[in-house]
Amino acid sequence: MAPRPEVRDTSSPTLDDAHTAPKDSVILPAYSTEDKYEDDPWNLPELQDNGLKWSELDTKGKVLRVLTASVKFILLVGFLYMFVCSLDVLSSAFQLVGGKAAGDIFQDNAVLSNPVAGLVIGVLVTLLVQSSSTSSSIVVSMVSSGCEYTHTYKYTWDTHTHTHTHKHTHTHTHTLCIFIIVLEVQSAVPVIMGANIGTSVTNTIVAMMQAGDRNEFRRAFAGATVHDFFNWLSVLILLPLEAATGVLYKLTKIIIDSFNIQGGNNAPDLLNVITDPLTDAIIELDKNVISDIATGDPAARNKSLIKIWCKTEKITTLVNITVPSDANCTTGALCWVEGNKTLTQINVTETINLERCNHIFVFANLPDLAVGLILLALSLLILCTCLILIVKLLNSMLKGQVAVVIKKVLNTDFPFPFGWVTGYIAIMVGAGMTFIVQSSSVFTSAITPLVGIGVISLERAYPLTLGSNIGTTTTAILAAMAAPGETLANSLQVALCHFFFNIAGILLWYPIPFTRIPIRLARALGNRTAKYRWFAALYLLLCFLLMPLTILGLSLAGWQVLVGVAVPIVVLAIFIIVVNLMQARCPQYLPSGLRDWDFLPRPLHSMAPWDRVVTSGMAFCGARCCCCCKCCQSTDDEEKGLQERKKSLEIYDNPVLTRDDEPQETSKETMKATQL
């Protein structure tokens, strides 16, 4: 079409204007009222204040504004507190639902010796318990100790009082526990890598709560999945390197052997001091049950994860027992023969329950699964509600000069030549904040809505997330320092492997701007999920459930099967990536048939056919199955509104002024409008 002449009057033409226009006036072709060139959706939105300035307010207005801001701030802190507590309860719910299954998964040492299977098991277990700290503590307990063998026999002991001597006969299962290594440290490194991946699913779920606004969802989902891409890319490089050379294991072994490390205090409770009163009133768990199952304790399988007695006391007494022969005597204990009986002495520990817990499920006679499902629904409801209210409050508070100051502080770099320092300061801030809240999931889930509403840019959220990875490992190191002397070295080595894995990942994907590939991948995924919002759920299912389960099944079948299936898939994926890059940058070097993917069926190179299937399925659900699919109805209303606006604009189309080589609309609506 010919270039459009400049238009000074932007008012819409009317029929009267058309009749009264002079003959020599130029009739301009119609154009759409929608912006042809939209703003970049990745630009941070301007949060402007449409209200009165502070200087224009009277005394009453100033008092009302201060009171309103104070109430909003108090509500924001309260909702943030409930948000953090709901994340804690969500983790407890997942442990009740899948905690024992996680312990069973960890029990198969033959599978864990395979690095790929160990990585996938780390992802799945962390997904089940929703806490990398819990899965890491299970690995530490497996690296530290386990029980060697168990004997069951009858024994008698005498209880002496001042006046009487009582003889007791009982059947006792005596478990002789020796500190043996259930899992080698070198086999535990891939599991720790998998735990690092699994912990990033929480903030991805949080990002899906902002799917109402397309641009907010684009930014929030990219801000959440940049953590996923960093972890997956780090594993793709470091897992083969570790399997081939054992670099992390050897490095941490040198550190442990070089320093005389002694046990210290446990990690300080900072945020837990504030959140525990509420979460402990809802549920308390005995997390040692999962570790006991993983280390092979048969008695732990019948125990409940729900803690009933919060205050107990253990009393250990030395008693005489009858054993079948001298070979069954406890090593180092006194052993003697009386008549035809062989006696020895063992320590019998009796646990006395002193005080019950105070949570709401202490008297509920419900199985762990039922309590877990109740807490799962409750925590998700509170999580979604608090997140929506937090976003609404932030949108109303971050306006005017406040928004300008906050955005400048968070997103402005230092002046040249010190601009590169800003990212590393952000990494330290992320590490410090994660150390304070003692959970990388809490910190990354808290900044995800801020990325969505445009307060924090994706480029700034990336180093904050990397710092969060460092902060959660420092907490694990302090926790390992509190381990007993016989398990201190192995516990600390596992924690150091986790620490140096994240340090190596940062060195790979951050210092040079060209290597910050996770940001580009997260943007591409954000654009895709903003266009097809159902793709976010598909991404979660594929990356955190279906793909790990498939790899685990292939690993169980043997490394020959895993290599035979995985290698062709990897080669095909590399070929597709290379061809896509060449299509975008240098298509002239490709054969004519590979310069586009049009030779393939459309569902294989476009998501539009799949989108129609999903949309029609959701519309069917909203029309036939239930009335809760309002998102489908709103989408249909939007499409109808767009069609109506298109029809209303077509009244100004003048096909006479178009060129002959341009396609013309021949629909009935266009013909009617042209006749009018």
Side-chain angles (χ1 to χ4, degrees):
M1 182 178 289
R4 188 187 311 278
E6 184 179 357
V7 183
R8 297 187 178 222
D9 187 7
T10 58
S11 60
S12 301
T14 60
L15 294 177
D16 295 336
D17 295 337
H19 288 292
T20 59
K23 295 181 180 180
D24 56 347
S25 61
V26 179
I27 302 176
L28 301 180
Y31 56 92
S32 173
T33 57
E34 297 181 359
D35 294 333
K36 185 175 181 181
Y37 301 100
E38 296 181 354
D39 294 335
D40 185 3
W42 295 103
N43 290 336
L44 298 183
E46 294 294 334
L47 305 176
Q48 298 179 353
D49 189 2
N50 298 325
L52 295 175
K53 296 182 179 179
W54 178 263
S55 58
E56 299 175 354
L57 295 174
D58 55 3
T59 304
K60 181 180 178 181
K62 291 180 179 180
V63 171
L64 288 176
R65 178 167 291 187
V66 171
L67 289 176
T68 303
S70 301
V71 171
K72 287 182 178 179
F73 180 76
I74 294 172
L75 288 175
L76 180 64
V77 173
F79 290 138
L80 186 61
Y81 175 77
M82 295 296 296
F83 176 77
V84 175
C85 291
S86 64
L87 285 176
D88 193 357
V89 176
L90 180 67
S91 175
S92 300
F94 274 103
Q95 291 180 52
L96 285 171
V97 172
K100 291 186 176 180
D104 290 334
I105 292 174
F106 270 133
Q107 252 189 315
D108 196 345
N109 299 332
V111 176
L112 291 175
S113 61
N114 184 345
V116 178
L119 171 76
V120 174
I121 287 175
V123 174
L124 292 175
V125 170
T126 309
L127 188 66
L128 286 174
V129 300
Q130 280 294 292
S131 172
S132 61
S133 300
T134 301
S135 55
S136 299
S137 64
I138 297 174
V139 174
V140 169
S141 64
M142 293 180 66
V143 168
S144 301
S145 64
C147 291
E148 191 173 28
Y149 58 88
T150 303
H151 292 291
T152 303
Y153 43 80
K154 290 185 178 180
Y155 68 93
T156 60
W157 76 87
D158 299 331
T159 303
H160 301 280
T161 62
H162 291 287
T163 56
H164 297 88
T165 299
H166 302 278
K167 186 176 289 292
H168 307 271
T169 302
H170 284 278
T171 301
H172 176 68
T173 301
H174 174 55
T175 304
L176 180 59
C177 287
I178 303 175
F179 283 100
I180 60 174
I181 295 177
V182 177
L183 182 66
E184 296 286 343
V185 175
Q186 200 162 4
S187 300
V189 175
V191 184
I192 292 295
M193 294 182 183
N196 214 55
I197 294 174
T199 190
S200 61
V201 72
T202 306
N203 58 329
T204 309
I205 295 174
V206 170
M208 294 182 66
M209 308 303 171
Q210 291 182 264
D213 184 89
R214 193 177 297 275
N215 281 334
E216 281 190 14
F217 185 48
R218 184 197 316 269
R219 291 189 292 265
F221 202 78
T225 54
V226 72
H227 195 188
D228 304 346
F229 286 118
F230 169 78
N231 289 329
W232 281 110
L233 290 174
S234 300
V235 164
L236 286 177
I237 301 297
L238 295 177
L239 180 63
L241 183 65
E242 176 66 21
T245 63
V247 58
L248 293 177
Y249 171 77
K250 293 177 180 177
L251 177 62
T252 54
K253 184 67 174 175
I254 291 173
I255 295 175
I256 295 295
D257 295 339
S258 301
F259 296 95
N260 184 19
I261 301 175
Q262 297 180 355
N265 295 326
N266 205 339
D269 288 334
L270 300 176
L271 184 68
N272 291 342
V273 175
I274 305 174
T275 59
D276 281 350
L278 178 60
T279 56
D280 289 349
I282 299 175
I283 191 67
E284 284 190 69
L285 301 183
D286 186 4
K287 297 182 180 179
N288 293 327
V289 175
I290 304 176
S291 300
D292 292 340
I293 293 175
T295 53
D297 186 1
R301 192 171 300 279
N302 297 323
K303 294 181 181 178
S304 174
L305 281 169
I306 302 174
K307 186 182 287 188
I308 303 299
W309 300 96
C310 287
K311 189 175 181 180
T312 59
E313 183 179 355
K314 292 184 178 181
I315 300 176
T316 303
T317 56
L318 188 64
V319 298
N320 300 333
I321 64 170
T322 303
V323 295
S325 63
D326 295 342
N328 301 109
C329 293
T330 305
T331 305
L334 183 62
C335 190
W336 70 95
V337 178
E338 290 185 1
N340 57 352
K341 294 181 180 180
T342 303
L343 301 176
T344 188
Q345 291 182 330
I346 64 168
N347 289 323
V348 176
T349 302
E350 183 181 2
T351 302
I352 300 176
N353 299 322
L354 300 178
E355 184 180 345
R356 283 182 178 269
C357 299
N358 295 321
H359 57 85
I360 58 178
F361 293 99
V362 68
F363 293 106
N365 190 17
L366 294 174
D368 289 356
L369 180 60
V371 176
L373 293 176
I374 294 172
L375 291 178
L376 184 64
L378 177 66
S379 59
L380 285 176
L381 177 63
I382 297 176
L383 180 72
C384 299
T385 304
C386 291
L387 183 63
I388 293 171
L389 294 175
I390 286 172
V391 172
K392 295 293 184 183
L393 281 174
L394 287 174
N395 279 326
S396 64
M397 294 174 65
L398 298 178
K399 292 181 179 179
Q401 194 64 27
V402 177
V404 173
V405 172
I406 292 177
K407 289 173 69 174
K408 280 186 177 180
V409 170
L410 293 177
N411 301 302
T412 304
D413 294 335
F414 286 109
F416 182 82
F418 302 104
W420 59 273
V421 181
T422 311
Y424 296 96
I425 294 178
I427 291 176
M428 291 188 288
V429 170
M433 293 299 297
T434 304
F435 181 78
I436 291 174
V437 302
Q438 293 187 339
S439 173
S440 60
S441 299
V442 171
F443 177 72
T444 54
S445 299
I447 68 173
T448 296
L450 297 179
V451 177
I453 64 175
V455 176
I456 301 177
S457 65
L458 181 61
E459 287 75 11
R460 184 65 71 241
Y462 181 52
L464 288 172
T465 301
L466 302 186
S468 176
N469 278 357
I470 300 296
T472 191
T473 58
T474 55
T475 305
I477 291 173
L478 289 178
M481 293 287 289
E486 63 272 8
T487 64
L488 175 61
N490 290 335
S491 302
L492 190 57
Q493 189 175 358
V494 171
L496 287 176
C497 287
H498 195 185
F499 175 76
F500 282 108
F501 167 74
N502 286 299
I503 292 293
I506 292 175
L507 294 178
L508 283 173
W509 309 114
Y510 188 75
I512 305 175
F514 175 77
T515 61
R516 296 171 188 174
I517 300 175
I519 294 180
R520 295 196 289 272
L521 294 177
R523 284 190 181 216
L525 183 61
N527 289 328
R528 181 56 56 92
T529 53
K531 188 175 182 180
Y532 308 107
R533 279 176 262 196
W534 53 266
F535 188 76
L538 180 64
Y539 165 81
L540 276 176
L541 289 175
L542 284 177
C543 287
F544 294 101
L545 189 61
L546 297 180
M547 188 171 71
L549 286 175
T550 303
I551 296 175
L552 180 60
L554 295 174
S555 301
L556 294 176
W559 67 268
Q560 297 91 344
V561 178
L562 178 63
V563 171
V565 175
V567 169
I569 295 176
V570 172
V571 171
L572 179 62
I574 294 175
F575 172 76
I576 293 173
I577 292 172
V578 172
V579 171
N580 279 330
L581 291 176
M582 293 184 68
Q583 286 176 353
R585 299 178 183 271
C586 50
Q588 65 274 13
Y589 296 110
L590 287 172
S592 58
L594 287 178
R595 292 179 182 178
D596 54 48
W597 299 107
D598 292 340
F599 65 92
L600 294 174
R602 196 155 184 261
L604 294 181
H605 64 90
S606 174
M607 300 195 69
W610 301 104
D611 183 62
R612 287 194 293 269
V613 172
V614 174
T615 305
S616 60
M618 295 175 67
F620 178 83
C621 173
R624 302 291 179 86
C625 300
C626 61
C627 300
C628 62
C629 298
K630 295 182 179 180
C631 57
C632 306
Q633 299 174 3
S634 62
T635 304
D636 294 340
D637 294 341
E638 291 177 1
E639 293 179 354
K640 290 179 181 178
L642 289 173
Q643 293 176 358
E644 292 296 332
R645 287 196 298 271
K646 183 178 178 182
K647 292 178 182 179
S648 64
L649 289 173
E650 283 175 348
I651 192 170
Y652 303 109
D653 287 341
N654 192 345
V656 177
L657 298 177
T658 60
R659 286 165 46 181
D660 295 336
D661 56 348
E662 291 185 354
Q664 298 182 9
E665 296 291 331
T666 57
S667 60
K668 295 180 179 180
E669 293 85 354
T670 305
M671 295 299 295
K672 291 179 180 178
T674 304
Q675 292 172 3
L676 178 62

